[in-house]
């Protein structure tokens, strides 16, 4: 904040007063002059227009343009008029006048009586009438210098104000000292007293007016203050000592209380945090224990059910006290086979559930044509539907292509279709539909005609071991397929939902993202297929050698029984990896089946040694092992195995792997012979 002296304030007051008086007086004079100029110009122009209209009324009546032009030429005596014109009654230009140097065009047609200012011009329209009849219109354009006159006046006023303000400032600076000198002296004395605390100083008396009386009063006040200050200083010193002692004691108490409060707060917060963590941990442990107990109980029940059938019928078949006929043995073996497959399915789904819940599942996202996928699923599920006389209705070859994992999408569709068949009624129907929901989403739905589900059953549908509300029914099921299905659909960026009506049926649907189809490849794959067909035509009954490296006698016996029904295969066996390597080098088999957990040399090490030998490097080697975890399969294929089969053996899958491997080997040999005849 700027502090001004009294002298500066006095000068400012005088200057502002002078400026206000000058502005009011000069502004009044300028406004009066400009107003008179405006009124005079308007009156003059109106009179001029009336005069020209009266003079040219005869010329308009007798269509004498020359006379009208001569009348307008008289405007040259009025330098302020820059242009004039006369329009006839129809609005056509009759006569005109321009001052020298004027280039501005005339209006196209006249207007009604009007007088207005346009920029630096004053425009006037005046109609010429006689006996109530319109003869024409007079148009005048004159200079309107009101703004220029105002600017000139303001320039003169600025000069006058500046000169007057300078004179006022000089006079105020000169005469102001008479008033300000006593006050300045008093101010200096007061400032010294405040800065030095010396109340013995006195201000000088310079004049005998009110300022002198102010100095006398100020000096008397200083004397009184000097006396009282001495007494106050003595008392203050005593009070200050006492206050200092009290403040010191109070500060010590406050510091002690503050440290105590902080310590209590810290201990309280630690205790609350520990209790909260303990409650959370106890709740989590309780929930985890309950979930584990429920899961183990359900899994134990589901595992024991097929094992009961397997062990029970196996005991009957091996018991001498319970003789059975050949048809009964076949029936018992069928039950054992059915229960074993159910047990394998349960184990695989439990592994899938564990893998999905732990987040270790890996997907290979690619464009998948729904038409081909639905054909594959239809071929796999129709036999099951035909057994129960259930009609299967599929859409006509949809052209949609989705972004998904082909294997996992097939698993999802097969699970939905098999559930629709399993929980359907006899002679019912399963309807599969495909529809585009949005520009980039497609919906696949599977509808059955079963008993339907209640709302509370739908709420618990996607929980492990919930078998579509059929817990007490006669249909087999693990109850975890839908849990895996939902997680797989979500991992593929999709969505799954269900709607159901009791007594009508249930509709399961999934939505996936659309993508562009991948162009078909017809190169090397078609050539190899044609070569395989040619090789098969040339040697349909060719004998191939199969080497099986297995240390478990039961597993070896099972493969021997399977191969016994294959006259085109000759089986060699080895009980460990070392002997298997020697037999492979000696006999050069067409295909090798290799267990991974072998004595002496593991299956993976045997694979590496066979691949390093040029004589056996070309032999395809198929892994046949009980290590069925996804990471084991990925690791086995990455190490170089042609195929990876898991135990227990699926005979159809086993034969297909042998046939495809032999066909590929024969095709490769045929291609090599074609390149090197």
């Amino acid at each position: 904040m700027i502090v001004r002296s009294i002298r500066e304030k006095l000068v400012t007051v005088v200057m502002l007063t002078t400026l206000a008086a000058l502005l009011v007086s000069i502004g009044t004079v300028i406004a009066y002059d400009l107003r008179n100029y405006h009124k005079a110009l308007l009156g003059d122009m109106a009179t001029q227009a009336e005069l020209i209209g009266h003079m040219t009324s005869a010329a308009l009546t007798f269509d004498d343009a020359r006379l009208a032009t001569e009348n307008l030429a008289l405007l040259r005596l009025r330098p302020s008029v820059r242009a004039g014109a006369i329009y006839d009654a129809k609005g056509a230009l009759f006569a005109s006048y321009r001052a020298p140097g004027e280039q501005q065009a005339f209006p196209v047609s006249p207007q009604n009586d009007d007088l207005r200012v346009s920029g630096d011009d004053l425009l006037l329209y005046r109609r010429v009438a006689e006996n109530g009849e319109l003869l024409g219109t007079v148009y005048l354009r004159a200079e309107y210098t009101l703004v220029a006159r105002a600017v000139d006046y303001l320039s003169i006023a600025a000069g006058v104000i500046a000169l007057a303000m300078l004179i006022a400032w000089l006079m105020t600076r000169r005469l102001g000292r008479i008033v300000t000198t006593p006050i300045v002296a008093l101010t200096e004395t007061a400032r010294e007293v405040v800065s030095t605390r010396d109340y013995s100083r006195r201000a000088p008396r310079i004049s005998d007016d009110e300022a002198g009386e102010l100095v006398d009063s100020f000096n008397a006040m200083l004397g009184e203050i000097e006396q009282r200050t001495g007494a106050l200083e003595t008392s203050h010193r005593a009070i200050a000592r006492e206050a200092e002692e009290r403040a010191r004691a109070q500060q010590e108490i406050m510091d002690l209380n503050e440290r105590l409060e902080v310590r209590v707060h810290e201990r309280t917060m630690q205790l609350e945090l520990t209790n909260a963590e303990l409650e959370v941990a106890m709740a989590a442990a309780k929930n985890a224990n309950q979930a584990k107990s429920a899961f183990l109980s359900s899994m134990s029940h589901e595992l024991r059910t097929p094992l009961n059938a397997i062990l029970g019928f196996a005991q009957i078949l091996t018991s001498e006290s319970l003789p059975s006929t050949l048809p009964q043995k076949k029936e018992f073996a069928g039950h054992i086979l059915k229960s074993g497959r159910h047990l394998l399915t349960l184990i695989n789904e439990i592994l899938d559930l564990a893998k999905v819940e732990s987040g270790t599942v890996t997907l290979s996202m690619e464009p998948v044509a729904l038409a081909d996928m639905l054909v594959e699923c239809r071929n796999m599920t129709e036999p099951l539907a035909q057994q129960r006389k259930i009609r299967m209705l599929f859409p006509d070859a949809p052209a949609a292509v989705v972004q998904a994992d082909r294997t996992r999408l097939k698993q999802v569709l097969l699970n939905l279709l098999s559930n629709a068949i399993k929980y359907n009624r006899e002679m019912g129907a399963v309807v599969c539909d495909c529809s585009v929901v949005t520009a980039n989403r497609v919906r696949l739905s599977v509808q059955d005609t079963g008993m339907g589900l209640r709302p509370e059953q739908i709420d618990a549908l996607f929980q492990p071991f919930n078998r579509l509300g059929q817990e007490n029914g006669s249909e087999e099921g693990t109850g975890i397929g839908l849990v895996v299905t939902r997680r797989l659909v979500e991992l593929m960026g999709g969505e799954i939902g269900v709607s159901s009506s009791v007594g009508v049926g249930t509709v399961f649907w999934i939505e996936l993202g659309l993508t562009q189809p991948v162009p078909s490849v017809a190169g090397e794959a078609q050539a190899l297929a044609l070569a395989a067909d040619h090789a098969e035509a040339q040697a349909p009954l060719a004998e191939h050698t199969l080497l099986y490296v297995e240390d478990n006698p039961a597993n070896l016996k099972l493969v021997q029984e399977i191969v016994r029904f294959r006259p085109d295969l000759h089986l060699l066996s080895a009980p460990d990896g070392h002997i298997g390597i020697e037999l492979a080098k000696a006999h050069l088999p067409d295909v090798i089946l290799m267990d991974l957990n072998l004595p002496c040399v593991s299956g993976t090490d045997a694979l590496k040694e066979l691949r390093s030998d040029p004589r056996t490097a070309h032999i395809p080697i198929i892994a046949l092992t009980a290590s069925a975890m996804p990471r084991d399969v990925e690791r086995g294929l990455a190490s170089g195995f042609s195929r990876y089969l898991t135990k227990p053996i699926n005979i159809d899958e086993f034969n297909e792997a042998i046939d495809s491997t032999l066909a590929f080997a024969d095709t490769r040999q045929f291609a090599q012979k074609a390149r090197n005849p």
Side-chain angles (χ1 to χ4, degrees):
M1 181 177 179
I2 300 176
V3 179
R4 299 182 182 274
S5 64
I6 190 171
R7 182 179 299 172
E8 292 176 343
K9 292 179 181 179
L10 180 62
V11 172
T12 302
V13 170
V14 173
M15 296 293 289
L16 290 176
T17 304
T18 304
L19 178 61
L22 289 173
L23 289 176
V24 171
S25 59
I26 294 175
T28 303
V29 172
I30 293 175
Y32 178 77
D33 182 83
L34 293 178
R35 178 174 175 274
N36 288 339
Y37 166 77
H38 179 73
K39 292 177 63 178
L41 181 60
L42 295 182
D44 183 54
M45 290 297 295
T47 302
Q48 193 70 31
E50 291 287 345
L51 179 61
I52 293 175
H54 179 71
M55 293 172 61
T56 57
S57 59
L60 289 170
T61 302
F62 297 102
D63 196 17
D64 189 353
R66 183 186 60 79
L67 178 60
T69 303
E70 290 177 355
N71 292 335
L72 289 176
L74 296 176
L75 294 175
R76 65 179 179 273
L77 301 177
R78 305 298 298 271
S80 61
V81 179
R82 306 304 300 168
I86 297 175
Y87 296 88
D88 58 16
K90 295 181 180 179
L93 184 63
F94 185 71
S96 63
Y97 163 77
R98 282 193 180 94
E102 277 297 315
Q103 301 295 331
Q104 185 172 348
F106 292 97
V108 177
S109 60
Q111 302 179 10
N112 296 327
D113 290 350
D114 189 16
L115 180 62
R116 68 177 186 272
V117 177
S118 176
D120 294 335
D121 294 331
L122 178 65
L123 305 179
L124 182 141
Y125 294 90
R126 185 73 65 187
R127 292 184 295 178
V128 180
E130 186 173 347
N131 298 326
E133 180 183 359
L134 178 63
L135 300 179
T137 304
V138 177
Y139 163 74
L140 295 179
R141 179 168 56 83
E143 292 181 348
Y144 187 73
T145 59
L146 182 66
V147 176
R149 292 170 68 90
V151 172
D152 293 340
Y153 285 152
L154 291 176
S155 300
I156 296 172
V160 172
I161 291 173
L163 180 61
M165 294 294 289
L166 177 61
I167 295 173
W169 182 77
L170 292 175
M171 294 180 65
T172 304
R173 295 283 295 182
R174 182 73 176 176
L175 301 176
R177 295 178 181 177
I178 299 174
V179 178
T180 59
T181 298
I183 299 176
V184 171
L186 182 63
T187 303
E188 291 295 332
T189 303
R191 185 181 295 110
E192 291 177 358
V193 170
V194 171
S195 61
T196 60
R197 299 291 180 179
D198 184 5
Y199 299 104
S200 62
R201 294 177 179 271
R202 297 294 182 268
R205 182 183 177 92
I206 299 175
S207 61
D208 295 331
D209 53 6
E210 290 85 352
E213 294 179 0
L214 178 63
V215 169
D216 292 340
S217 300
F218 180 74
N219 290 333
M221 182 184 65
L222 288 179
E224 184 69 21
I225 292 174
E226 184 179 6
Q227 295 177 2
R228 294 189 178 186
T229 300
L232 286 175
E233 288 179 352
T234 303
S235 175
H236 178 71
R237 285 192 291 269
I239 295 174
R241 286 194 299 270
E242 183 179 356
E244 184 178 357
E245 294 177 356
R246 290 183 178 181
R248 186 183 303 109
Q250 185 177 4
Q251 185 63 37
E252 291 178 356
I253 295 174
M254 292 177 61
D255 292 341
L256 181 61
N257 290 336
E258 183 177 357
R259 289 195 297 268
L260 182 60
E261 289 178 359
V262 171
R263 184 173 300 178
V264 171
H265 180 69
E266 291 178 351
R267 295 291 178 87
T268 304
M269 292 296 295
Q270 291 178 357
L271 183 59
E272 291 179 355
L273 182 60
T274 303
N275 291 336
E277 293 177 350
L278 182 60
E279 290 179 359
V280 172
M282 291 178 63
K286 182 178 180 180
N287 293 335
N289 188 45
Q290 291 177 351
K292 181 184 69 174
S293 299
F295 180 79
L296 291 177
S297 176
S298 300
M299 186 174 65
S300 174
H301 174 268
E302 295 296 332
L303 291 175
R304 288 177 179 274
T305 299
L307 282 175
N308 178 61
I310 293 173
L311 295 178
F313 286 114
Q315 292 178 58
I316 294 176
L317 290 177
T318 57
S319 175
E320 296 181 356
S321 61
L322 298 173
S324 57
T325 63
L326 181 59
Q328 289 177 327
K329 291 181 179 180
K330 290 183 179 181
E331 180 184 357
F332 297 160
H335 288 307
I336 293 175
L337 181 60
K338 180 180 179 181
S339 298
R341 289 175 177 171
H342 175 60
L343 181 61
L344 178 60
T345 301
L346 177 61
I347 293 174
N348 289 335
E349 290 188 350
I350 291 175
L351 293 178
D352 281 343
L353 177 63
K355 181 172 60 175
V356 167
E357 293 298 336
S358 63
T360 59
V361 64
T362 57
L363 299 179
S364 176
M365 302 297 287
E366 59 179 334
V368 179
L370 290 182
D372 298 338
M373 179 63 65
L374 291 177
V375 169
E376 295 180 16
C377 295
R378 181 174 187 173
N379 293 335
M380 296 180 67
T381 56
E382 272 193 340
L384 178 60
Q386 290 174 358
Q387 293 177 5
R388 302 188 58 179
K389 298 180 181 180
I390 294 175
R391 292 179 294 115
M392 301 287 290
L393 302 177
F394 282 79
D396 296 333
V401 178
V402 297
Q403 187 74 10
D405 184 293
R406 178 180 295 273
T407 302
R408 294 302 185 179
L409 178 57
K410 185 176 181 180
Q411 178 182 351
V412 168
L413 292 177
L414 287 176
N415 187 35
L416 296 180
L417 289 170
S418 62
N419 282 341
I421 296 172
K422 184 185 303 182
Y423 299 112
N424 212 324
R425 58 181 173 82
E426 294 291 339
M427 305 292 292
V430 174
V431 180
C432 181
D433 188 24
C434 177
S435 61
V436 177
V437 180
T438 62
N440 55 358
R441 300 281 287 186
V442 65
R443 172 175 288 193
L444 287 170
S445 61
V446 177
Q447 180 178 2
D448 62 53
T449 57
M451 297 302 297
L453 298 173
R454 298 186 301 276
E456 61 270 15
Q457 291 176 317
I458 295 178
D459 294 338
L461 194 59
F462 293 99
Q463 297 179 3
F465 298 104
N466 187 322
R467 297 189 293 140
L468 298 177
Q470 303 289 338
E471 292 82 355
N472 299 323
S474 59
E475 299 294 342
E476 288 186 345
T478 62
I480 60 178
L482 284 178
V483 182
V484 176
T485 297
R486 182 183 63 178
R487 293 294 294 127
L488 290 178
V489 172
E490 292 173 351
L491 289 174
M492 290 187 289
E495 184 181 357
I496 186 171
V498 60
S499 61
S500 183
S501 298
V502 177
V504 178
T506 305
V507 179
F508 283 87
W509 56 264
I510 62 172
E511 288 186 5
L512 296 172
L514 288 170
T515 186
Q516 296 296 324
V518 177
S520 60
V521 179
E524 183 178 356
Q526 292 183 357
L528 292 177
L530 292 175
D533 294 341
H534 179 75
E536 183 178 358
Q538 293 294 329
L541 298 177
E543 182 174 326
H544 299 282
T545 302
L546 174 65
L547 173 61
Y548 183 29
V549 184
E550 174 63 69
D551 62 327
N552 188 293
N555 292 334
L556 178 60
K557 179 62 176 176
L558 176 60
V559 173
Q560 288 175 346
E561 291 299 324
I562 296 174
V563 174
R564 186 166 60 86
F565 295 96
R566 297 284 303 268
D568 58 326
L569 295 180
H570 174 63
L571 180 64
L572 297 176
S573 62
D576 57 51
H578 179 71
I579 298 176
I581 294 172
E582 296 300 327
L583 288 177
K585 293 179 179 179
H587 294 275
L588 299 178
D590 298 291
V591 181
I592 299 176
L593 289 175
M594 183 75 69
D595 187 20
L596 298 185
N597 298 319
L598 294 171
C600 300
V601 180
S602 67
T604 304
D605 293 337
L607 170 68
K608 294 179 181 178
E609 186 170 347
L610 292 174
R611 288 285 182 261
S612 64
D613 193 330
R615 295 173 299 172
T616 58
H618 67 282
I619 301 176
I621 303 176
I622 301 174
L624 181 58
T625 176
S627 301
M629 295 300 290
R631 60 177 179 272
D632 297 326
V633 177
E634 294 174 0
R635 190 183 303 116
L637 293 175
S639 63
F641 286 103
S642 301
R643 294 284 295 269
Y644 196 99
L645 302 179
T646 59
K647 300 174 184 177
I649 296 175
N650 184 308
I651 298 178
D652 294 336
E653 183 181 0
F654 176 85
N655 287 326
E656 185 275 330
I658 297 296
D659 292 338
S660 61
T661 303
L662 290 174
F664 181 79
D666 292 342
T667 302
R668 186 169 57 183
Q669 292 177 3
F670 176 80
Q672 290 177 352
K673 291 179 180 180
R675 288 194 298 267
N676 301 311

